[in-house]
Amino acid sequence: MRTVKIPGRTAANHRRWTPELLTFVALVTSVVGLAALSSALSSDQIPTVPTHNMSNKERNELKEEAREMFYHAYRAYMDNAYPADELMPLSCTGRYRGVTPSRGDLDDTLGNFSMTLVDTLDTLVVLGDIEEFENAVKLVIKDVKFDNDIIVSVFETNIRMIGGLLSGHILSEYVQKQADVMTWYRGELLEMAKDLGYRLLPAFNTSTGIPHARVNLKHGMKVEALRHSRETCTACAGTILLEFAALSRLSGEPIFEVKAHAAMDALWKMRHRSSELMGTVLNVHSGDWIRRESGVGAGIDSYYEYCLKSYILLGDERYLARFNRHYHAIMKYISQGPMLLDVQMHRPHTKTRNFMDALLAFWPGLQVLSGDLKPAVQTHEMLYQVMQMHTFIPEAFTFDFQVHWGQHHLRPEFIESTYFLYRATGDHYYLHAGKKALKALQKHAKVPCGYAAVNDVRTGKHEDRMDSYVLSETFKYLFLLFSDPADLILNIEDFIFTTEAHLLPLTLGQLGNQTFTGVRDQDEQMHMLDYMRSCPSPNKLFPETVRRPLRDLVTGVCPRISSAKRLRAADFQASNTDHLRTVYDMGITMVSLGDGKVQLLHSFHNAKSPEDAERGLIFMREMVDLSNSNSIPNTQLQAVAFKREGDQELRILEAGPSHFGIELINDLAVVQQAVFAKPARVCSDLKNADEIRKKIVIIERGECTFVDKARRAQAAGAAAAIVYDNTPNTSINNQQMFAMSGDGQDDVQIPVVFLFTREAEQLIKAIKEQPDLELTLMSVTGLKEKLSEEQRASTTKTDAKSSDSTATP
């Protein structure tokens, strides 16, 4: 078959370039085609890549293996599951909504509209299989219907179904005009996309313009199950614009793009104005945040993706400005070296959980598109090591790279980032990484009837699940990674990938670019260069030099700088002679500051070797991050206050807050008697729950997590909890106060504070001497303000009495 291409466009006819955007031309070239960056990286000035280059023969074999993987899964679906939405590869049958056993909210993806086939249409064209593509389009037109009394996810239906239909329509016209096939096609897929789009529109009828998370395909929002619909996630509401804008511009119906712009504008206004971060779950009517955790993974990921890609596709500069401001905040607060750690949007130095999720693996690919290559290489390297450690990237893994949630649903995000990094750098290291991922799928996920998700990467047990994105994204990106772009029947550089890897042509930006005109916030009138991150110099940031210091990040996986395990800041003990010797070798010297405190100073020149110096730099960065994550501002300090019989003054003990439960701020306080927990550490059910009800329970630290203790105290009916340290002689005067960490769940509704040992000893002694002692839990600042007000009131009253006593009768 001859090669055909959709007519492209240049940067010049894509948009008008303002002077302040001229420096961004190279970035956009990288975004659209990555050609300029790839060309630069292949110059003679680049150092030799340590990774051996993959031969054309091996690369072609892997490309064909990726093709066969796709067809093994595709044929299994078509032969055993179609017209169901998904294939169940273990039982070798189709998954139908309302027929197969319910999986709860997970089934909101399904609509009994042959989702896997629709989602897969453009992959067939990428593979060059026009004959099967034509057959699939005919089947979709004939069999797929949307007049179903089913509640579906607005987000999933948009990215998989509307995206799949639009991409199928675009490519049908593509091959019709360029290859003189499918001459019978008359835009049927576009009409189907418009029909489905109108069925989603009732979800947008909210006071904020942010859509509901779910909608009934037949009755809109007028069903009992949706009567109390309130919550949606940031990604759910912010991953609409590409598909809806394409639908409007192809169909001539502006309503879709108008609604999507309005949702994006509403989300932008909801960002935290100080941190520029977004939360993950919100109320679509009030606009209030329900979950304020901020990261780049589940619940928020594709919102950031669509901020940048909306600029690329539509040429609307406000989305570039928004992306840059969000990106600047993410790199400031969330990015910690190669890791991406969730924080509170309103308290961005406060970590919210001790694990990362697999969905953040898309982030390095987005960083490549934005032109920020170095952190993309770093995060990808970390993820690659995690993958090698566990065969697959687990659904969630802890900061020390252990399994948190063991599932692997054959997600595409890591392969997607691998593809973009290879296209940007030309480094064959990424071909080898892709090969590793491909072989893992073949060995551990392939079953006779398709590919099965892995229920637990530690055991290799399968799950009867093969999501549509396995065909739409995972195998597509694998095939593209090992393909020579010149061999494809499409010029991939003429398209942008949606979050579901559907292809939308960049020429859409020329069609009706003014379907929506919004009024920008004043704070959007800004100099974008303030937040610009320029494309990195490949001479200085060649991927191998960035990866080298990270090679021992995940223990026991990649080649290490030396045989010794790297000392991490979290494990360092100043009293351990081995640790002291290790940090000395890394070029770090210690200076005593008294009171048990030390200052660390790092110098490359003092290190035993360049590798040790690199290791020392990582150690120092970890120390800074550890200090920042553990310390809390004085404004967040809590107070445990009491006045014993005979005391003239209130005794105030400073305590640390928690990342869970009610935050005691301003004049919010709990005043109640205290009860000691039995067992003291509350790592099992409380034996004195009746005594604890409506009281402040005193709990010892140790054995189980802070938040687990809090949950048991709350279940017993406690009004609040005080956790005290189990390490001798610790005090607010010799330790840095920290905030007790949670696990990302917002189910604790009582305040919980932390006391060091010496302060706790004062409290415990007072309670034992006076069992009915009344405690006050309050913020330190709030308590001081309250005492000041009482003092002022007392002084005023005294002055009034004094005036009365001296008055002349």
Side-chain angles (χ1 to χ4, degrees):
M1 180 177 294
R2 64 189 180 90
T3 302
V4 290
K5 293 183 179 181
I6 292 179
R9 62 176 175 177
T10 64
N13 65 22
H14 172 34
R15 57 180 65 84
R16 295 179 181 176
W17 293 100
T18 56
E20 64 267 28
L21 284 178
L22 288 177
T23 57
F24 202 58
V25 174
L27 186 152
V28 175
T29 303
S30 171
V31 171
V32 174
L34 306 176
L37 191 53
S38 298
S39 174
L41 285 163
S42 62
S43 70
D44 294 335
Q45 298 177 341
I46 303 301
T48 304
V49 184
T51 306
H52 71 276
N53 282 356
M54 184 177 288
S55 67
N56 289 336
K57 179 176 181 293
E58 183 180 10
R59 185 176 174 185
N60 190 62
E61 288 173 350
L62 289 169
K63 178 187 73 175
E64 293 307 313
E65 187 171 359
R67 186 197 302 274
E68 287 306 313
M69 292 170 74
F70 169 83
Y71 281 113
H72 176 70
Y74 177 76
R75 288 170 184 143
Y77 166 75
M78 295 302 294
D79 294 344
N80 302 285
Y82 183 81
D85 282 323
E86 291 178 351
L87 167 70
M88 295 192 294
L90 300 183
S91 52
C92 210
T93 58
R95 188 184 300 280
Y96 291 91
R97 184 77 172 270
V99 177
T100 46
S102 173
R103 300 175 297 172
D105 292 345
L106 184 61
D107 281 346
D108 288 345
T109 302
L110 311 177
N112 289 346
F113 37 33
S114 304
M115 180 174 64
T116 294
L117 182 60
V118 173
D119 212 4
T120 303
L121 291 176
D122 58 4
T123 307
L124 291 166
V125 178
V126 169
L127 269 61
D129 192 347
I130 303 304
E131 181 179 351
E132 183 56 32
F133 173 68
E134 181 175 9
N135 178 56
V137 170
K138 288 179 177 178
L139 284 175
V140 169
I141 294 171
K142 177 174 71 72
D143 295 338
V144 175
K145 300 292 183 289
F146 302 125
D147 193 31
N148 305 326
D149 187 8
I150 289 177
I151 294 173
V152 298
S153 162
V154 174
F155 163 72
E156 298 287 2
T157 303
N158 174 63
I159 65 171
R160 302 197 200 201
M161 293 298 297
I162 292 182
L165 290 168
L166 290 174
S167 186
H169 163 71
I170 289 161
L171 296 179
S172 293
E173 292 194 336
Y174 174 105
V175 298
Q176 186 182 67
K177 295 175 182 177
Q178 302 296 337
D180 197 28
V181 295
M182 293 182 68
T183 54
W184 54 268
Y185 181 74
R186 293 293 183 271
E188 291 89 344
L189 294 181
L190 178 59
E191 288 302 311
M192 294 176 69
K194 188 165 69 171
D195 174 26
L196 185 54
Y198 275 116
R199 294 177 185 275
L200 298 186
L201 283 184
F204 289 80
N205 294 331
T206 63
S207 55
T208 61
I210 296 171
H212 289 276
R214 300 181 299 160
V215 69
N216 186 287
L217 289 176
K218 190 169 188 176
H219 304 293
M221 300 301 297
K222 298 178 180 179
V223 293
E224 183 61 30
L226 298 177
R227 181 180 298 275
H228 301 292
S229 173
R230 293 290 184 274
E231 298 180 9
T232 193
C233 70
T234 305
C236 302
T239 314
I240 304 286
L241 184 52
L242 291 189
E243 291 82 2
F244 267 37
L247 181 55
S248 282
R249 297 183 184 206
L250 291 169
S251 69
E253 300 282 353
I255 184 65
F256 303 109
E257 187 169 352
V258 168
K259 292 290 188 182
H261 278 299
M264 291 294 277
D265 289 346
L267 286 173
W268 173 246
K269 292 175 183 177
M270 290 175 61
R271 76 194 185 283
H272 193 270
R273 298 302 177 99
S274 175
S275 70
E276 302 287 0
L277 294 174
M278 305 287 285
T280 52
V281 180
L282 53 101
N283 185 306
V284 299
H285 293 300
S286 67
D288 294 333
W289 288 107
I290 296 170
R291 293 180 67 96
R292 299 188 175 204
E293 294 91 339
S294 188
V296 297
I300 196 170
D301 47 358
S302 47
Y303 163 72
Y304 293 130
E305 179 183 2
Y306 271 40
C307 281
L308 178 59
K309 290 184 176 180
S310 293
Y311 164 71
I312 299 167
L313 183 66
L314 308 178
D316 191 330
E317 294 167 11
R318 63 182 155 162
Y319 291 111
L320 175 60
R322 292 175 186 181
F323 173 80
N324 281 328
R325 291 175 71 172
H326 284 318
Y327 186 76
H328 178 80
I330 290 166
M331 298 307 291
K332 180 178 180 180
Y333 299 117
I334 294 171
S335 176
Q336 304 290 327
M339 299 194 291
L340 297 159
L341 313 181
D342 283 16
V343 301
Q344 292 281 10
M345 61 176 282
H346 59 300
R347 292 186 293 183
H349 293 293
T350 302
K351 303 294 183 290
T352 61
R353 61 185 190 180
N354 63 346
F355 61 89
M356 293 175 277
D357 64 72
L359 284 170
L360 62 76
F362 90 101
W363 185 249
L366 190 65
Q367 289 181 306
V368 171
L369 295 184
S370 74
D372 203 6
L373 185 62
K374 181 177 179 178
V377 171
Q378 291 176 324
T379 297
H380 181 277
E381 180 63 18
M382 178 269 293
L383 292 165
Y384 185 30
Q385 293 184 32
V386 171
M387 186 196 84
Q388 293 176 86
M389 185 176 188
H390 300 293
T391 305
F392 297 107
I393 296 177
E395 189 69 1
F397 53 94
T398 59
F399 295 166
D400 58 352
F401 311 109
Q402 302 305 306
V403 174
H404 183 76
W405 296 327
Q407 305 93 332
H408 177 73
H409 298 144
L410 316 185
R411 293 195 184 277
E413 285 79 12
F414 175 76
I415 300 169
E416 173 187 0
S417 289
T418 304
Y419 165 70
F420 281 111
L421 273 164
Y422 176 69
R423 291 296 309 280
T425 66
D427 187 350
H428 281 226
Y429 181 87
Y430 297 108
L431 293 179
H432 290 282
K435 176 183 177 181
K436 192 88 173 179
L438 182 149
K439 295 299 183 182
L441 289 169
Q442 289 286 67
K443 182 176 181 180
H444 300 285
K446 188 175 183 179
V447 294
C449 194
Y451 288 81
V454 178
N455 184 259
D456 193 325
V457 297
R458 291 163 292 196
T459 64
K461 181 182 177 182
H462 285 136
E463 187 176 336
D464 202 5
R465 171 179 179 179
M466 188 181 83
D467 291 86
S468 66
Y469 56 68
V470 178
L471 292 165
S472 173
E473 299 185 75
T474 306
F475 294 140
K476 181 186 290 173
Y477 281 124
L478 270 178
F479 180 82
L480 288 171
L481 174 64
F482 299 115
S483 298
D484 187 329
D487 295 335
L488 302 174
I489 69 170
L490 297 166
N491 183 355
I492 293 297
E493 294 183 1
D494 289 339
F495 296 85
I496 189 170
F497 289 108
T498 69
T499 195
E500 191 73 4
H502 292 307
L503 299 172
L504 296 178
L506 293 167
T507 48
L508 277 173
Q510 297 174 326
L511 303 177
N513 202 30
Q514 299 301 321
T515 54
F516 176 78
T517 302
V519 178
R520 299 187 186 185
D521 290 344
Q522 281 191 342
D523 61 1
E524 284 196 70
Q525 304 294 341
M526 50 168 288
H527 298 289
M528 282 187 291
L529 292 180
D530 290 345
Y531 292 92
M532 200 62 67
R533 300 180 73 90
S534 60
C535 294
S537 164
N539 289 336
K540 296 181 180 177
L541 297 180
F542 196 69
E544 170 60 17
T545 65
V546 178
R547 291 192 300 262
R548 191 182 300 123
L550 303 173
R551 283 188 171 177
D552 63 345
L553 187 66
V554 179
T555 304
V557 181
C558 291
R560 301 190 186 100
I561 297 171
S562 67
S563 59
K565 180 181 177 181
R566 184 175 69 81
L567 176 63
R568 302 181 189 281
D571 301 326
F572 175 70
Q573 296 177 356
S575 59
N576 186 310
T577 54
D578 289 335
H579 289 184
L580 293 175
R581 187 179 300 109
T582 300
V583 297
Y584 180 79
D585 289 343
M586 293 189 294
I588 298 171
T589 55
M590 296 177 56
V591 179
S592 176
L593 301 179
D595 295 328
K597 298 180 181 179
V598 296
Q599 182 178 24
L600 302 181
L601 304 173
H602 179 246
S603 170
F604 269 74
H605 301 292
N606 293 335
K608 189 175 180 180
S609 67
E611 291 80 6
D612 284 308
E614 291 280 1
R615 195 181 287 116
L617 183 60
I618 296 172
F619 179 88
M620 293 295 287
R621 288 173 179 168
E622 288 180 350
M623 259 310 174
V624 173
D625 294 340
L626 192 62
S627 177
N628 289 339
S629 64
N630 283 341
S631 62
I632 61 172
N634 289 332
T635 54
Q636 293 179 23
L637 278 175
Q638 307 292 289
V640 178
F642 56 89
K643 182 186 289 187
R644 294 182 299 181
E645 291 180 4
D647 285 351
Q648 297 298 315
E649 295 183 357
L650 191 69
R651 181 164 299 192
I652 302 174
L653 306 176
E654 291 186 340
S658 61
H659 291 166
F660 49 85
I662 295 175
E663 183 182 2
L664 297 175
I665 56 176
N666 301 325
D667 60 352
L668 188 62
V670 175
V671 181
Q672 191 52 263
Q673 294 177 4
V675 174
F676 292 101
K678 297 177 183 178
R681 294 188 173 180
V682 194
C683 294
S684 57
D685 291 342
L686 284 155
K687 296 178 181 178
N688 61 334
D690 291 342
E691 299 176 34
I692 287 170
R693 183 169 177 77
K694 295 185 179 180
K695 301 291 179 61
I696 299 173
V697 61
I698 311 245
I699 303 170
E700 184 181 1
R701 180 183 188 178
E703 294 184 19
C704 57
T705 63
F706 291 123
V707 71
D708 283 342
K709 297 175 189 290
R711 289 191 180 109
R712 291 190 177 94
Q714 177 174 276
I722 298 172
V723 180
Y724 65 91
D725 202 3
N726 60 348
T727 304
N729 298 321
T730 61
S731 170
I732 186 69
N733 298 315
N734 63 24
Q735 300 290 322
Q736 189 174 50
M737 183 55 80
F738 64 92
M740 293 179 288
S741 62
D743 56 8
Q745 299 183 46
D746 287 335
D747 55 349
V748 177
Q749 301 300 320
I750 61 172
V752 184
V753 302
F754 177 84
L755 283 176
F756 282 119
T757 306
R758 289 182 183 173
E759 286 72 30
E761 287 171 350
Q762 297 179 49
L763 175 65
I764 293 169
K765 180 181 178 182
I767 295 173
K768 287 182 177 179
E769 291 177 353
Q770 185 179 334
D772 62 348
L773 183 68
E774 191 174 71
L775 306 183
T776 297
L777 301 189
M778 197 173 186
S779 71
V780 169
T781 53
L783 182 58
K784 288 180 178 178
E785 288 176 4
K786 178 183 177 183
L787 293 175
S788 296
E789 289 176 4
E790 290 176 353
Q791 180 65 33
R792 286 194 296 271
S794 175
T795 302
T796 302
K797 188 174 181 180
T798 301
D799 290 343
K801 287 183 177 180
S802 175
S803 175
D804 289 342
S805 66
T806 58
T808 301

